[in-house]
Amino acid sequence: MAYKITDECISCGSCAATCPVGAISQGEDHFHIDEDMCVECGSCQAVCPVEAIEAP
């Protein structure tokens, strides 16, 4: 199961810049993680300033 970005996301882009496989992109309301691409490394969760990313 992939990491998930919640509605708490402020669209700062830190997670997308950190993702080693490019699985994170800007969505309609906030950033989104492509579940098929996510390698569950946790890099995105570690840099999120508002703790909007949930572990699998």
Side-chain angles (χ1 to χ4, degrees):
M1 217 166 177
Y3 278 73
K4 294 194 183 215
I5 300 177
T6 68
D7 290 339
E8 300 299 315
C9 175
I10 58 172
S11 295
C12 69
S14 317
C15 57
T18 304
C19 183
V21 295
I24 304 173
S25 59
Q26 178 67 54
E28 206 171 295
D29 298 322
H30 54 74
F31 276 79
H32 171 76
I33 299 175
D34 182 324
E35 293 182 16
D36 293 329
M37 291 178 67
C38 179
V39 294
E40 299 175 22
C41 67
S43 296
C44 58
Q45 187 179 40
V47 299
C48 182
V50 295
E51 298 178 0
I53 302 175
E54 296 179 343

